[in-house]
Amino acid sequence: MDAEDYKVQDISLAEWGRKEIDIAEVEMPGLMASREEYGPQQTLGGARISGSLHMTIQTAVLIETLQALGAKVRWCSCNIFSTQDQAAAAIAKAGTAAVFAWKGMNLDEYWECTLKALDWGNGLGPTLIVDDGGDMTMMLLEGSKWEKIWEEEQRLPDPSRVETEDEQALFRILQLEIPKNPNKFRNYVSQVKGVSEETTTGVLRLNQLAAKNQLLFPAINVNDSVTKSKFDNVYGCRHSLPDGIFRATDVMLAGKKVLIAGFGDVGKGCAQAMKGCGSRVYITEVDPICALQALMEGFEVVRIEKYIKDIDVFITATGNKGIILAQHMAQMKHNAIVGNIGHFDNEIDMKGLKDWPGIQRLNIKPQVDKWTFPDGHSIIMLAEGRLLNLGCATGHPSFVMSTSFTNQTLAQIELWVNKDNGKYENKVYKLPKELDEKVARLHLKALGAELTVLSNDQAEYIGVNNTNIDIVHKKIQENMLLYSSDPFLILSFSNPNYYKIQLDYHQYSFD
């Protein structure tokens, strides 16, 4: 990598960033164990990994893990507000990746940075992608699509024909790039062996593409690993939502009425956090099962229209669009706080808010704005409707991101070691369950937990043979896995007899 192959806010922040990375490494046992296990054999040797994922301190540890496993890395952020500039500077200074990210970039700069992260020079593109939300994947696929249209019809993408500002900015850069090199994106796609996707919305995009046979390379859905969605999405948001609100507003949440739109994994974590702060929590939901879960947790399930004038804090967590509209905000109480913790900013109608006749915007501090309606009442908008926990704070803590990013590392390894054997088609896959449990086990040890082993009497009572869990861990470490299917994990032993254990309500068989 060229020593100057980066674009960051301030390279002098590198020393600060390195100190924080050193602290984070201790809190990320899964990634450090991955370096120890896979580093010596350089499992990712020869891989060119392009990543589009929040450029935080935790992501810096992921980047340096991929590099320690033999990969070369180029990186950009997946959100204009989520970069920690000291983290980007530390990675750029160390040269462990070419990084193109800074907090507060505009949308045109955002897509330029995404393109820079894809461009390896001399016609080379990435062989693997780490994506969060699917923007890097979409740039490749949209670019390839429009190259064909340009070739056949001499027609370029028209930004005025798409709805969101993000899409318009993407189309602007494609307009510029395609005439200069009409085969760039198709060339890049031909080199990609696979993508691992971090978040719910990105997985939705991939599944839609796969259903239409428009996915041009294999994809691993990291989000639906249990040690991602049930940890990062729940416990990460439980930690980072109040952190973002407090840093942005210093408001006291005890006694306040808080409405959480959506009670999926993210919404569950958010609702727990607000309840823990002493708030009175209301839930909006379209899914009857999630709604019933919310009720069983003691929350009110309501329609936003009925409570719009009474709520103090609104948080969207659905992954859908058009959840809080401008007409909703026009009816809110004075100084109601509005924020989003879903991946994209289209959950809140920012365009409708900006276009409201007579509306006035007053910036309080970075990523905190007061919008005043003509009738005199105001709302406090956090992070311009983008991820408030990253825009107004620093996102999830290191430990929970270690579970997510260890899954990302294992997904990248899985795609790379199987790149030439036809194991993966252009479809969306999940990591096998035994890898999920391996990730959990690595983090249990760091917290000093000890797993219970059945007594012989207990094993006989439920009809299984007893053995030691250490056998499982040892055989997984030795990569002796043959295949698995839920609920059985099947490993190859030299002993022809079956040995069975029970752990966490799952039964495992060994032959």
Side-chain angles (χ1 to χ4, degrees), residues 251-262:
V251 70
M252 186 173 186
L253 290 171
K256 296 292 197 302
K257 293 182 178 180
V258 178
L259 185 142
I260 309 293

Side-chain angles (χ1 to χ4, degrees), residues 6 11 64 79 157 213 244 384 408:
Y6 62 82
I11 196 67
E64 296 198 329
N79 186 292
N213 293 317
E384 298 183 19
Q408 278 284 7

Side-chain angles (χ1 to χ4, degrees), residues 19-39:
K19 291 173 183 175
E20 291 197 336
I21 290 168
D22 289 343
I23 293 172
E25 286 180 347
V26 178
E27 281 285 293
M28 303 187 82
L31 289 182
M32 303 314 288
S34 297
R35 295 185 195 183
E36 183 179 348
E37 181 174 350
Y38 300 108

Side-chain angles (χ1 to χ4, degrees), residues 152-430:
E152 295 170 2
E153 305 174 21
Q154 292 293 291
R155 184 162 57 90
L156 289 169
D158 181 358
S160 68
R161 298 180 68 85
V162 289
E163 182 178 346
T164 69
E165 293 180 349
D166 296 67
E167 291 174 301
Q168 291 165 5
L170 171 59
F171 273 26
R172 282 195 294 271
I173 196 168
L174 293 180
Q175 267 188 337
L176 294 172
E177 292 296 323
I178 289 173
K180 291 190 289 187
N181 185 349
N183 200 45
K184 173 186 284 188
F185 294 103
R186 284 176 289 182
N187 176 43
Y188 288 168
V189 166
S190 70
Q191 299 172 55
V192 175
K193 303 300 181 181
V195 58
S196 54
E197 171 56 50
E198 174 78 5
T199 200
T200 307
T201 311
V203 169
L204 176 64
R205 281 177 155 185
L206 290 173
N207 285 330
Q208 290 171 338
L209 289 165
K212 299 175 184 176
N213 293 317
Q214 294 175 354
L215 186 59
L216 302 182
F217 35 75
I220 290 183
N221 166 4
V222 169
N223 180 74
D224 288 342
S225 295
V226 176
T227 45
K228 196 282 180 184
S229 61
K230 303 302 180 185
F231 288 80
D232 174 330
N233 296 20
V234 179
Y235 307 122
C237 293
R238 189 174 72 182
H239 174 103
S240 64
L241 174 65
D243 187 25
I245 295 173
F246 293 150
R247 294 200 203 196
T249 67
D250 292 317
V251 70
M252 186 173 186
L253 290 171
K256 296 292 197 302
K257 293 182 178 180
V258 178
L259 185 142
I260 309 293
F263 200 69
D265 290 329
V266 171
K268 287 178 173 68
C270 294
Q272 288 174 14
M274 297 297 97
K275 183 178 182 180
C277 290
S279 300
R280 292 172 284 174
V281 180
Y282 299 79
I283 304 295
T284 64
E285 217 358 300
V286 298
D287 185 310
I289 295 174
C290 290
L292 184 58
Q293 286 179 312
L295 290 167
M296 299 296 279
E297 291 289 343
F299 303 123
E300 294 285 337
V301 178
V302 301
R303 288 192 175 182
I304 190 171
E305 292 79 9
K306 185 174 179 180
Y307 286 82
I308 195 73
K309 297 179 181 179
D310 300 324
I311 299 296
D312 299 291
V313 181
F314 296 83
I315 303 296
T316 55
T318 70
N320 209 330
K321 67 176 184 177
I323 305 305
I324 293 181
L325 303 176
Q327 53 262 43
H328 291 140
M329 291 180 269
Q331 301 175 60
M332 291 177 182
K333 68 191 310 185
H334 182 56
N335 275 12
I337 296 168
V338 183
N340 167 52
I341 200 167
H343 187 82
F344 291 112
D345 67 334
N346 57 357
E347 299 207 28
I348 299 173
D349 181 17
M350 290 303 299
K351 184 178 186 303
L353 181 64
K354 293 173 185 177
D355 292 343
W356 194 270
I359 195 85
Q360 293 183 349
R361 176 183 181 180
L362 175 66
N363 179 250
I364 306 301
K365 58 183 178 180
Q367 286 79 64
V368 181
D369 294 294
K370 181 178 180 180
W371 292 82
T372 302
F373 286 81
D375 66 1
H377 92 280
S378 302
I379 63 157
I380 307 298
M381 180 63 67
L382 305 184
E384 298 183 19
R386 298 179 184 272
L387 284 164
L388 77 89
N389 57 331
L390 280 151
C392 300
T394 56
H396 297 348
S398 297
F399 191 83
V400 78
M401 291 312 301
S402 181
T403 62
S404 287
F405 287 170
T406 303
N407 279 298
Q408 278 284 7
T409 301
L410 294 174
Q412 291 285 295
I413 291 171
E414 180 71 9
L415 289 166
W416 188 242
V417 300
N418 292 292
K419 63 183 182 298
D420 298 320
N421 61 16
K423 179 178 180 179
Y424 292 111
E425 301 175 18
N426 294 348
K427 299 177 180 179
V428 183
Y429 299 85
K430 296 179 185 178

Side-chain angles (χ1 to χ4, degrees), residues 455-464:
S455 69
N456 289 333
D457 186 48
Q458 289 171 322
E460 183 179 352
Y461 181 75
I462 60 174
V464 298

